[in-house]
Amino acid sequence: MASILDEYEDSLNTRQHSRLSNANIGITHSGFVNVRLEEEKPIFNKQRIDFTPPERINHLTVCNNQLCMSLGKDTLLRIDLAKPDQPNQIELGRKDESKVHKLFLDPTGSHLLICLSTNECLYLNRNTQKVRSLSRWRGHLIESVGWNKQLGNETNTGPVLVGTSQGIIFEAEISATEGSLFNTNPDQYFRQVHSLEEDGKPAPVCCLEVERGGSENKYFIIATTRKRLFQFVGKLAEGSEQQGFSSIFSQNQDLLPSFQEFPANMGYSEITFYTPKLRNSPKSFGWMMGNGVLYGQLDYVRPDSLLSDVQVWEYTPDIDISLDKPISIVLTQFHFLLLLHDRVKAICTLNGQEVYEDVFPDKFGTLKKMIKDPVGGLVWIYTERAVFRYHIQREARDVWQMYMSMTKFDLAKEYCRDRPECMDMVLAKEAEHCFQNKRYIDSAKCYALTQNYFEEIALKFIEAKQEEALKEFLLKKLNHLKQSERTQITLLVTWLAELYLNSLGQLESDGNSVIFQETREEFREFLSSSKHKECLYNNRTTIYDLLASHGNVDDMVYFSVVMQDYERVISHYCQHDDYSAALDVLSKHCDEKLFYKFSPVLMQHIPKKVVDAWIQMGKRLDPKKLIPALMNYSQMGSTQQISETIRYMEFCVYELTVTEEAIHNYLLSLYAKYKPDSLLWYLEQAGTHPSEIHYDLKYALRLCAENGYLQACVLVYRIMELYEEAVDLALQVDVDLAKSCADLPEDDEELRKKLWLKIARHVVQEEKDVKKAMNCLSSCNLLKIEDILPFFPDFVTIDHFKEAICSSLEEYNKHIEELKQEMEEATESAKRIREDIQEMRNKYGVVDSQEKCASCDFPLLNRPFYLFLCGHMFHYDCLFQEVTPHLTPLKQSRLEELQKKLAATTQTSKSRHRPAPKDEGDTASLGKGNAGTSREQIKSDMDDIIASECVYCGELMIKSIDKPFIDPKKFEEEKSSWL
């Protein structure tokens, strides 16, 4: 048998895909271009299954991808839609005239009930081939089954509800497992729990549905007859679900069950439900009955009824229930499908409009039933000779239009989130709706999100005189602009600033302070927006002009602060004599350039606060740049300004340790003019050496001289080392001061003596105080009585100098005695030296024949050698090599020169010489040969260089203690030689 899924043919000619045409391209008022390259596929796409049944199809049911159909009289065909190539055919084995009345398949697709017209019922499990009879069910014509979705599984149905043609509702349970030895029936029990009536008579139970939902996990049972829809609500105790639903019906015995009734009766009814993919409980329902279709939502929270938002769709005139009754109904998310004998109608549940009609050709026969697989979502329709399948694709594609027409804009936007062109139409429609209802702010918010022409919308609000709405529209539009759209941003920012200023002006004139403050806060928030900071900064001049034209000074100051245009802020405060506020801005933002610019003005009015601010700034300010302001007000200002100027200069000098000459000179001038008590102290602590001084000495000298501060001048002269001038000036002030100056040139005794003579002359000639003159002699050891005697007048008696003259004579005698003793010691020393020289002439050393050179360790007598008093002996050439590296460059060059001269004399004489021990000095020298006097002199000079002392015991060895054994320049070469 061919696959009924993989091989099929369309029952209707599918619309051919059309290429791009002019009709498919449109430019809407919103600016979106709507281009469709292909026709959209219809929502309801019908396909005929390529399947020819061997016998007529009586009944068909589908659930959980399990399809079962009854063929002919005695055949049952089962197909697992996941394995469509493996159909399973089963014979019922009935010999009587019974026919299949209905088929019922549970939600798992495992349990199939085959209800026969002879009031019998058969059971078939998916995993077996054996059809079993349900003996307890015999005698009842089954019309409906309410499956247990919570407890049902592949082997057991759990408690289920069964409705009969006599209006009786039974509770039953079926198990696919083999029973005990005495009970082999699959039906565990079958008991009546309720009965339904219409007009006082039993009525067939057309449909049964059992659901569980809500926060309290209540059970909801819906049962329908031909005209009535019943609801039973109850809660089962924890753990008692397996005991069935009888307690729910018993809870409703005292009260009449809740039901809805309609007058028309077409002999049967059918109810259908829609369950979203992510939910376990149905969301909506549709009940097909005599008057039409009752549809709505299911609300599991409502205490009185499960049904909500109920509407009735009445049958259209082309549906005559007396002649062409609807056969079946299927509910989808937004539509319900009605099956008539030759067609299918689709009605939208949102507006009740018929949106689709599909007429079936007569060749397939009368349509018998329509079923929806709740798991797969496919809709199945069959006739006696054919099977059809409906694919429902993108059912919500046009829902937004319906919600939009119903003014349910939030729902409309929900269903077109991924379609910007549709979203734009919804927003435009919502904006227009709000505008017509005078909800201008909401309208502006929606218009800002659309692509409608900006000018049209703006003019619309302007004509309506709705500035607040216009402002809202511009704000929203501004927030949605990209940073690259600078021109548009500039336009909107400027326009908004103008609108805010107009509004503030109007509110201020009306005296509405509360709204005025709110609007001002909103305006300031707009001005300080970080998102538009760049635009505001680039166009700050325009904003300033706008603020100035409206006279809005406060907001202009605020905007200046936001733009960090502190110069404008400070200028404003200064113009309005609010100098403290200006200084606060300066201190807060610490801009050095602004300090330099505005300090002169501020210093004039609030000098103390300004100086405090300067001190707080510390080294961030350059005091030299503040001098113009300080000098201006120190010359023409008040006492407070002057004192504050001195305070800041002292801070710079003593705290910041500023060394710039201009600062020190200025402080010096302030001290000289306004605070002379501090002048001398400043000069003393500034230092006594010119290298330590940071002020100009000549300027300080002139300043002190002009103001008559002689002691300060003396101090400056001392620092300048002009001691004569210092002493001359000091003598005008105090002799003791002059004495302190006279002792300063310690290294120049002649100058000291000269200075003391000046002091002595001043004391003698000016003060005529002989006693003080004598004190000068005791204060300076350079002066003698004979030095100052010429300064005394002739009439002075010798009595005044008696002690001084005697003391002077005693010193002379003492000095003569010291000279005598020194001469005797020198004579004795010369005598000892002559004796030592005589002794050295007779000194000699003994060299053994086996003595070796201390350097090369070869026999010593083989070559000329040197013998030192310490006992070390060296060959001449060995000593030469040892000493040469330690000589200074000057001595090395002198030694090379002597060698060249010695070589020259040797060639001239052409004679050989033999080394012999030297008898004189500390060493043995080369013996005398036939060389001349010049040759001997050269050797003597060379001896003085290389043999003046032992190379191992003398100063050369001591000086070389910190030198490395290997010359750093030759280290790498030496290192590589060891590898």
Side-chain angles (χ1 to χ4, degrees):
M1 180 184 296
S3 167
I4 65 173
L5 291 179
D6 297 336
E7 299 179 8
Y8 61 88
E9 62 181 9
D10 295 338
S11 61
L12 296 176
N13 293 328
T14 306
R15 296 178 181 178
Q16 298 295 323
H17 300 319
S18 61
R19 293 189 175 274
L20 186 63
S21 63
N22 295 332
N24 292 334
I25 302 178
I27 301 178
T28 64
H29 68 287
S30 66
F32 277 100
V33 180
N34 183 19
V35 180
R36 293 184 180 180
L37 298 179
E38 296 181 353
E39 287 285 345
E40 285 190 325
K41 293 183 179 180
I43 295 175
F44 305 100
N45 185 19
K46 183 182 70 175
Q47 299 168 349
R48 182 193 171 194
I49 304 303
D50 187 14
F51 168 67
T52 304
E55 300 180 73
R56 61 182 176 83
I57 302 175
N58 297 324
H59 293 279
L60 183 145
T61 185
V62 180
C63 199
N64 198 22
N65 283 334
Q66 301 297 318
L67 185 145
C68 300
M69 65 175 69
S70 170
L71 303 176
K73 177 183 177 183
D74 202 41
T75 304
L76 186 69
L77 183 65
R78 296 189 300 180
I79 300 174
D80 184 353
L81 299 181
K83 304 174 182 177
D85 294 330
Q86 302 175 15
N88 177 238
Q89 187 171 327
I90 299 174
E91 300 297 330
L92 299 180
R94 306 295 294 180
K95 303 300 182 183
D96 52 18
E97 295 300 325
S98 62
K99 299 178 181 179
V100 175
H101 176 61
K102 284 187 177 181
L103 297 178
F104 300 97
L105 191 61
D106 80 310
T108 67
S110 302
H111 307 282
L112 177 65
L113 296 178
I114 307 163
C115 301
L116 304 178
S117 59
T118 56
N119 295 346
E120 293 182 80
C121 192
L122 305 177
Y123 169 74
L124 179 63
N125 188 271
R126 183 171 65 179
N127 298 325
T128 64
Q129 299 289 325
K130 182 180 179 181
V131 179
R132 302 167 71 183
S133 175
L134 303 176
S135 58
R136 292 186 176 89
W137 297 43
R138 190 174 292 126
H140 301 283
L141 184 62
I142 307 301
E143 293 290 345
S144 58
V145 176
W147 298 101
N148 193 326
K149 299 177 183 177
Q150 281 72 36
L151 300 179
N153 54 49
E154 292 185 359
T155 59
N156 194 292
T157 61
V160 298
L161 296 178
V162 179
T164 68
S165 60
Q166 297 302 313
I168 303 173
I169 298 177
F170 290 91
E171 183 180 85
E173 184 175 358
I174 302 173
S175 177
T177 58
E178 294 292 337
S180 63
L181 179 62
F182 302 101
N183 182 18
T184 60
N185 294 328
D187 47 339
Q188 303 298 307
Y189 62 88
F190 191 78
R191 56 174 176 261
Q192 180 179 345
V193 293
H194 200 70
S195 60
L196 302 179
E197 294 182 351
E198 283 182 0
D199 302 328
K201 298 179 182 179
V205 183
C206 299
C207 296
L208 277 172
E209 182 75 16
V210 180
E211 295 295 342
R212 185 181 182 183
S215 59
E216 299 180 359
N217 283 331
K218 290 183 178 180
Y219 278 89
F220 301 86
I221 299 173
I222 297 178
T224 65
T225 61
R226 293 165 298 190
K227 299 192 300 179
R228 291 183 177 180
L229 186 150
F230 295 85
Q231 299 180 60
F232 302 91
V233 182
K235 187 174 182 181
L236 298 179
E238 290 292 335
S240 63
E241 291 87 350
Q242 197 66 40
Q243 298 176 8
F245 306 106
S246 57
S247 61
I248 297 177
F249 289 100
S250 63
Q251 293 172 19
N252 292 270
Q253 283 181 353
D254 298 336
L255 301 172
L256 290 175
S258 173
F259 67 89
Q260 289 184 320
E261 183 176 9
F262 289 86
N265 183 358
M266 64 179 183
Y268 58 88
S269 69
E270 184 175 340
I271 193 167
T272 180
F273 298 89
Y274 169 71
T275 304
K277 291 183 179 180
L278 301 179
R279 290 181 56 174
N280 295 324
S281 302
K283 177 184 177 183
S284 56
F285 77 98
W287 179 38
M288 182 187 71
M289 39 77 180
N291 289 82
V293 177
L294 179 73
Y295 63 95
Q297 304 296 314
L298 297 179
D299 188 352
Y300 297 94
V301 180
R302 290 180 59 184
D304 54 339
S305 175
L306 179 63
L307 312 180
S308 67
D309 300 332
V310 177
Q311 301 179 59
V312 176
W313 180 80
E314 296 182 356
Y315 295 128
T316 56
D318 61 333
I319 301 175
D320 187 356
I321 61 172
S322 60
L323 300 175
D324 187 13
K325 300 177 182 178
I327 302 169
S328 294
I329 184 172
V330 165
L331 183 65
T332 64
Q333 185 177 4
F334 297 107
H335 302 85
F336 60 81
L337 302 177
L338 277 181
L339 180 69
L340 304 174
H341 75 282
D342 64 343
R343 69 191 65 199
V344 173
K345 287 180 178 289
I347 291 87
C348 179
T349 57
L350 299 178
N351 54 16
Q353 299 296 319
E354 180 181 318
V355 297
Y356 176 77
E357 185 179 37
D358 188 8
V359 180
F360 286 73
D362 294 337
K363 65 179 180 177
F364 299 121
T366 303
L367 303 178
K368 299 192 68 172
K369 190 74 173 176
M370 178 169 59
I371 311 100
K372 180 183 178 185
D373 184 352
V375 177
L378 299 176
V379 177
W380 299 80
I381 298 176
Y382 67 93
T383 66
E384 291 184 349
R385 298 188 296 274
V387 179
F388 300 90
R389 179 175 60 186
Y390 276 95
H391 286 269
I392 302 175
Q393 298 176 334
R394 296 183 59 215
E395 185 181 2
R397 69 179 69 166
D398 296 324
V399 169
W400 64 273
Q401 291 180 328
M402 300 175 192
Y403 280 128
M404 183 176 68
S405 62
M406 297 162 64
T407 67
K408 295 182 178 180
F409 299 108
D410 290 339
L411 290 172
K413 288 183 280 189
E414 186 70 29
Y415 286 98
C416 60
R417 289 188 179 278
D418 56 342
R419 301 173 66 182
E421 72 282 358
C422 302
M423 178 69 78
D424 190 76
M425 294 176 67
V426 173
L427 289 169
K429 187 72 174 178
E430 183 181 7
E432 185 65 31
H433 175 78
C434 293
F435 192 90
Q436 291 175 357
N437 288 275
K438 298 185 177 181
R439 292 162 47 204
Y440 297 110
I441 300 297
D442 295 335
S443 176
K445 292 178 180 178
C446 294
Y447 269 131
L449 298 174
T450 67
Q451 298 296 322
N452 289 25
Y453 295 127
F454 174 84
E455 300 84 352
E456 292 181 1
I457 301 169
L459 288 172
K460 197 170 187 177
F461 287 116
I462 292 173
E463 290 173 358
K465 297 181 179 180
Q466 295 296 322
E467 284 197 3
E468 287 299 318
L470 176 61
K471 185 167 60 179
E472 185 67 27
F473 169 70
L474 296 179
L475 281 171
K476 293 291 183 183
K477 206 70 178 176
L478 179 62
N479 290 332
H480 286 85
L481 289 176
K482 299 177 182 177
Q483 292 296 327
S484 57
E485 300 174 308
R486 296 184 178 180
T487 304
Q488 293 88 330
I489 292 175
T490 302
L491 171 65
L492 293 183
V493 166
T494 310
W495 195 353
L496 280 166
E498 178 68 26
L499 289 175
Y500 273 117
L501 290 170
N502 288 338
S503 179
L504 288 171
Q506 185 65 38
L507 290 171
E508 190 174 14
S509 62
D510 294 343
N512 196 333
S513 59
V514 176
I515 300 178
F516 175 79
Q517 288 299 328
E518 292 177 355
T519 306
R520 167 166 281 180
E521 290 298 323
E522 185 181 342
F523 179 45
R524 291 186 173 185
E525 185 178 349
F526 168 74
L527 292 177
S528 59
S529 171
S530 59
K531 186 175 182 181
H532 314 305
K533 184 175 182 180
E534 182 181 357
C535 176
L536 288 166
Y537 183 80
N538 294 334
N539 298 278
R540 61 188 183 278
T541 304
T542 304
I543 304 297
Y544 283 135
D545 293 340
L546 285 173
L547 291 165
S549 65
H550 285 266
N552 195 329
V553 178
D554 293 339
D555 289 322
M556 183 169 67
V557 172
Y558 177 82
F559 181 66
S560 301
V561 173
V562 171
M563 292 292 103
Q564 298 182 356
D565 190 359
Y566 304 119
E567 182 176 351
R568 185 182 293 268
V569 178
I570 299 168
S571 297
H572 165 76
Y573 285 134
C574 290
Q575 289 171 5
H576 290 78
D577 298 335
D578 194 352
Y579 302 105
S580 297
L583 183 60
D584 290 341
V585 176
L586 266 178
S587 302
K588 183 177 180 181
H589 301 287
C590 303
D591 190 333
E592 296 85 354
K593 293 181 179 179
L594 296 181
F595 265 102
Y596 302 143
K597 181 173 182 178
F598 291 99
S599 287
V601 178
L602 298 175
M603 190 68 185
Q604 183 179 4
H605 298 89
I606 48 173
K608 185 178 186 308
K609 292 183 178 180
V610 173
V611 170
D612 290 340
W614 289 350
I615 291 174
Q616 189 175 3
M617 286 289 288
K619 292 187 176 181
R620 285 176 288 181
L621 289 179
D622 185 359
K624 188 166 62 175
K625 295 183 179 180
L626 295 172
I627 287 180
L630 294 171
M631 292 187 67
N632 183 24
Y633 299 111
S634 65
Q635 294 174 5
M636 53 182 289
S638 65
T639 304
Q640 184 186 10
Q641 293 168 346
I642 295 169
S643 63
E644 293 301 324
T645 301
I646 294 175
R647 181 164 72 96
Y648 181 66
M649 287 292 101
E650 289 177 341
F651 170 77
C652 294
V653 171
Y654 303 130
E655 299 294 332
L656 300 183
T657 62
V658 175
T659 59
E660 292 186 8
E661 187 177 275
I663 301 298
H664 287 262
N665 287 344
Y666 184 45
L667 179 60
L668 198 63
S669 67
L670 291 173
Y671 280 153
K673 191 171 184 181
Y674 302 107
K675 202 174 180 182
D677 296 341
S678 301
L679 176 62
L680 190 60
W681 177 84
Y682 168 77
L683 293 174
E684 289 174 349
Q685 64 83 35
T688 58
H689 194 274
S691 62
E692 301 173 354
I693 303 302
H694 300 300
Y695 56 85
D696 187 345
L697 289 168
K698 294 180 180 179
Y699 174 75
L701 183 62
R702 179 172 61 82
L703 200 64
C704 295
E706 288 176 353
N707 291 275
Y709 303 132
L710 300 181
Q711 192 171 353
C713 292
V714 171
L715 185 59
V716 175
Y717 276 133
R718 288 171 56 176
I719 297 171
M720 297 173 69
E721 298 182 355
L722 299 175
Y723 302 115
E724 291 189 36
E725 291 82 353
V727 170
D728 290 341
L729 196 60
L731 289 174
Q732 299 178 27
V733 180
D734 184 18
V735 174
D736 292 335
L737 179 62
K739 290 180 179 180
S740 64
C741 296
D743 282 334
L744 291 177
E746 298 177 353
D747 298 334
D748 192 345
E749 292 186 355
E750 184 179 350
L751 178 60
R752 282 177 60 199
K753 186 175 180 180
K754 182 179 180 181
L755 296 176
W756 276 102
L757 285 174
K758 282 191 175 190
I759 296 172
R761 177 183 293 173
H762 174 80
V763 171
V764 172
Q765 295 178 353
E766 299 296 332
E767 297 185 4
K768 296 182 173 55
D769 190 339
V770 177
K771 189 174 183 180
K772 278 188 178 181
M774 294 299 101
N775 289 336
C776 291
L777 293 178
S778 61
S779 299
C780 180
N781 55 3
L782 299 178
L783 290 182
K784 304 298 179 182
I785 185 61
E786 56 269 25
D787 296 326
I788 65 173
L789 282 177
F791 302 147
F792 288 97
D794 297 335
F795 58 84
V796 177
T797 61
I798 199 171
D799 293 339
H800 294 89
F801 312 105
K802 182 177 181 180
E803 293 182 2
I805 293 172
C806 292
S807 176
S808 179
L809 292 174
E810 288 177 0
E811 286 183 3
Y812 281 128
N813 291 331
K814 184 178 179 181
H815 183 61
I816 291 170
E817 291 297 326
E818 289 176 356
L819 289 177
K820 277 178 156 186
Q821 186 176 356
E822 288 178 2
M823 289 174 65
E824 291 175 356
E825 289 177 354
T827 305
E828 184 65 25
S829 177
K831 181 179 178 182
R832 285 198 300 269
I833 290 171
R834 282 193 295 271
E835 292 175 353
D836 290 340
I837 292 171
Q838 186 62 32
E839 183 180 354
M840 285 300 296
R841 287 176 178 173
N842 300 324
K843 195 144 180 107
Y844 64 93
V846 179
V847 179
D848 192 85
S849 62
Q850 297 185 3
E851 290 290 344
K852 296 183 179 180
C853 176
S855 175
C856 66
D857 205 30
F858 279 94
L860 185 67
L861 299 178
N862 290 344
R863 298 198 301 275
F865 65 91
Y866 286 94
L867 171 63
F868 293 92
L869 293 176
C870 61
H872 287 116
M873 292 170 277
F874 298 92
H875 289 127
Y876 168 78
D877 53 345
C878 293
L879 181 62
F880 189 88
Q881 292 177 359
E882 289 286 346
V883 172
T884 302
H886 299 286
L887 296 176
T888 62
L890 183 62
K891 287 188 176 182
Q892 286 183 359
S893 60
R894 173 61 178 162
L895 188 60
E896 290 177 0
E897 182 183 351
L898 292 173
Q899 279 185 309
K900 291 178 181 178
K901 288 182 178 180
L902 182 62
T905 57
T906 303
Q907 289 179 357
T908 303
S909 62
K910 294 184 180 180
S911 62
R912 301 180 63 183
H913 63 275
R914 181 174 300 172
K918 187 176 180 181
D919 295 333
E920 295 181 0
D922 294 337
T923 65
S925 181
L926 296 173
K928 296 182 179 179
N930 296 324
T933 305
S934 60
R935 185 165 176 268
E936 290 299 327
Q937 183 62 41
I938 292 171
K939 284 186 177 183
S940 177
D941 292 341
M942 291 178 66
D943 287 347
D944 291 339
I945 295 175
I946 65 174
S948 61
E949 60 181 353
C950 176
V951 69
Y952 286 171
C953 302
E955 290 185 7
L956 288 178
M957 185 58 66
I958 296 172
K959 291 180 180 179
S960 66
I961 193 170
D962 60 339
K963 294 183 179 180
F965 292 108
I966 301 174
D967 189 350
K969 297 180 181 179
K970 301 180 179 179
F971 178 77
E972 292 298 330
E973 180 182 351
E974 188 71 21
K975 179 181 176 182
S976 60
S977 68
W978 282 75
L979 298 177

